[in-house]
Amino acid sequence: MDDHTDQTRKPRADAVRNRERVLEAAKAVFNAGGPEASLEAVAKRAGVGIGTLYRHFPTREDLFEAVYRREVEQLSELAEQLKIAKDPVDALRRWLRSGVEFVATKKGMSAALALTFQSSSELAAFSMDRLTKAIGSLLDRAVAAGEMRADVSPEDLLRALIGMCYLHDQPGWQSSVLRMLDVFVDGLRVQPAGKPKARSAKPAKSAVKRTR
């Protein structure tokens, strides 16, 4: 390898690293949301100049779409990794919990991302296809293992996940959603045969005796 070839490749590697740093920083900034969700905040967190950011992403919409696609790809890759997990229900639960972080990032750029979706039906189709296949592969394992109800679809799980996330807007909403996810997943588990059903609560007897 000559010096000229080496010199021409280094900028490419630097550019790739800068792009990844910008995307990771953008995810964190958009996840936090609010007034911090600005391109200046992204550049500062990534440790690059605003000019570098714009060279990679000429418009806000370009950055939003890149972050979104990257998150979808990472969730798809996570599903592949979790397919070999010993406990299929725990694998599904872990994917859904990562999905909460994905929705949090999406909420931080929802207004601009909505415009991107309107102009790109391909983006909507891409994300729905990837996410449905990802969660579907984990759901299928849990159902095949006899651990999860068979009358639930991947779309059902995605709708439940998104619905829980968007019903909560107060600070700390992610913790609340994660608790609800645990309840939701546990409720979909197949109960062992012969397990007694929970008894209905009996009305409490009055502690006050009647006087004759």
Side-chain angles (χ1 to χ4, degrees), residues 29-30 34-42 50 53-54 57-67 108-109 111-113 116:
V29 172
F30 296 145
E36 291 185 307
S38 67
L39 299 189
E40 289 75 14
V42 172
I50 192 68
L53 187 152
Y54 278 118
F57 309 102
T59 68
R60 293 175 63 87
E61 288 72 23
D62 290 334
L63 177 58
F64 293 150
E65 181 174 345
V67 172
M109 53 182 180
L113 193 58
T116 303

Side-chain angles (χ1 to χ4, degrees), residues 134-156:
I135 196 172
S137 65
L138 299 177
L139 177 61
D140 288 345
R141 284 190 69 231
V143 171
E147 295 286 340
M148 188 72 68
R149 292 174 52 150
D151 58 347
V152 180
S153 70
E155 292 81 4
D156 291 334

Side-chain angles (χ1 to χ4, degrees), residues 82 85-95 97 142 185 189:
L82 291 174
K86 184 176 181 181
D87 186 337
V89 175
D90 181 63
L92 179 61
R93 189 193 310 270
R94 288 168 59 186
W95 191 92
R97 292 174 72 89
V185 172
R189 300 191 70 145

Side-chain angles (χ1 to χ4, degrees), residues 106-119:
K106 184 173 179 290
K107 287 175 72 173
M109 53 182 180
S110 57
L113 193 58
L115 297 176
T116 303
F117 266 103
Q118 290 175 10
S119 61

Side-chain angles (χ1 to χ4, degrees), residues 111-185:
L113 193 58
L115 297 176
T116 303
F117 266 103
Q118 290 175 10
S119 61
S120 176
S121 58
E122 186 275 331
L123 178 60
F126 160 81
S127 59
M128 181 55 69
D129 179 67
R130 288 299 184 92
L131 295 177
T132 302
K133 286 181 178 178
I135 196 172
S137 65
L138 299 177
L139 177 61
D140 288 345
R141 284 190 69 231
V143 171
E147 295 286 340
M148 188 72 68
R149 292 174 52 150
D151 58 347
V152 180
S153 70
E155 292 81 4
D156 291 334
L157 294 182
L158 285 176
R159 280 192 290 267
L161 170 66
I162 294 171
M164 281 187 277
C165 289
Y166 276 90
L167 281 175
H168 294 74
D169 287 320
Q170 299 300 318
W173 67 268
Q174 293 186 52
S175 297
S176 178
V177 171
L178 291 176
R179 288 195 301 271
M180 291 304 299
L181 266 181
D182 284 337
V183 174
F184 176 68
V185 172

